[in-house]
Amino acid sequence: MVDHSAPTCPTAFGQEPPPPTERRTVLRVRDGTAEEAEDMLADEVPVALVYNGISHAVMMATPADLEDFALGFSLTEALIDHPGECYGIDIEAGPAGVAVQLDIASRAFVALKERRRSLAGRTGCGLCGVDSLDQVYRTLPQPAGAAMLAGGAVRAALAALPERQALNRLTGATHAAAWSDPEGRLAVVREDVGRHNALDKVVGALARDPALRTKGGFVVVTSRVSVEMVQKAAMASAAGIVGVSAPTAAAVRMAAGAGLVLLAFARGDRFTCYAGRERLAP
């Protein structure tokens, strides 16, 4: 008998997915002098998310940590209510892209069929699967308790993140998202050309290994903070979200309504608090 209470989500490969980077010979011009050099590029491929045999979304994503991506997307987009509704994940790579086959519970599949439409995602697409205005601002879970977010922890997480961005060091083309514990220790870091994809990968990694999730933990993203990023952080039960770039006004309103601390322009020892200042410790 299969235990559906835990997010086991086994993975089987038909053909290996392509690597996340590609080496290219380029021509570099500096001070009027041209020379050939080797360069590394981050790749992006079409990734189809297929639920019980029905394709729901096609996203352009970096082909790494695709099991995390599929499970995290399913959770943050409310296609499944909890990891136990995912019974398995198979990855099938082909010449046109990668198909991620998810076996989900009957309840979730019935709900999915009711809202399904044909989608073609773009890099950075964040509202995939939403086909009406009423679904854009959905009810978000409130953080359990009133966890404080310490400024020192934010600074520690920001300082530790660059060393964990291996793809970005090679290519300079990927965003990172991370889950930090309340002390600023990074438990999970994932990278992707799409900022939403990177955060979905973090959520999926936490779901597959609940021991990584810490109460009062927060999300760090190397991007702006928009509505969909706040939604995904809230769905992950984060105490807050920290972004290195600006927030949008709608994201600030959503964070305040969901009880999240929202920090932006977070670089080095500086940041600006836009929401939840009452829960920001010195």
Side-chain angles (χ1 to χ4, degrees), residues 7 12 60 63 67-68 75 86-87 115 130 134 148 153 164 196 217 251:
M60 296 301 296
E67 302 96 326
D68 292 343
L75 289 165
C86 172
Y87 299 159
R115 62 182 279 189
V130 173
D134 292 339
M148 300 294 289
R164 303 281 294 273
H196 310 99

Side-chain angles (χ1 to χ4, degrees), residues 51-233:
Y51 295 86
N52 292 8
I54 294 181
S55 180
H56 174 66
V58 179
M59 308 288 288
M60 296 301 296
T62 300
D65 304 303
L66 292 181
E67 302 96 326
D68 292 343
F69 173 51
L71 184 57
F73 179 92
S74 302
L75 289 165
T76 63
E77 297 299 321
L79 302 181
I80 59 176
D81 286 344
H82 54 83
E85 289 192 312
C86 172
Y87 299 159
I89 301 177
D90 293 336
I91 296 182
E92 302 172 358
V98 179
V100 183
Q101 305 279 351
L102 295 96
D103 179 16
I104 62 173
S106 297
R107 182 216 63 80
F109 186 53
V110 169
L112 174 64
K113 287 194 292 186
E114 291 176 356
R115 62 182 279 189
R116 183 177 65 89
R117 66 186 178 114
S118 182
L119 294 170
R122 304 169 302 184
T123 297
C125 173
L127 292 174
C128 294
V130 173
D131 53 15
S132 72
L133 292 175
D134 292 339
Q135 294 176 356
V136 173
Y137 298 108
R138 61 178 180 264
T139 301
L140 298 175
Q142 296 286 317
M148 300 294 289
L149 195 60
V154 172
R155 290 189 288 273
L158 288 170
L161 187 54
E163 285 301 312
R164 303 281 294 273
Q165 294 177 251
L167 275 179
N168 196 58
R169 284 200 303 275
L170 281 175
T171 68
T174 56
H175 281 296
W179 180 270
S180 173
D181 73 8
E183 283 71 47
R185 296 185 292 259
L186 300 181
V188 179
V189 179
R190 293 290 184 267
E191 295 180 272
D192 199 281
V193 290
R195 56 200 174 95
H196 310 99
N197 300 343
L199 185 48
D200 278 335
K201 289 178 178 181
V202 167
V203 176
L206 294 173
R208 296 176 72 209
D209 186 357
L212 296 172
R213 186 189 301 275
T214 47
K215 184 178 180 181
F218 58 95
V219 165
V220 183
V221 294
T222 60
S223 66
R224 69 183 185 275
V225 182
S226 52
V227 162
E228 57 273 26
M229 299 297 274
V230 172
Q231 285 180 335
K232 292 178 186 295

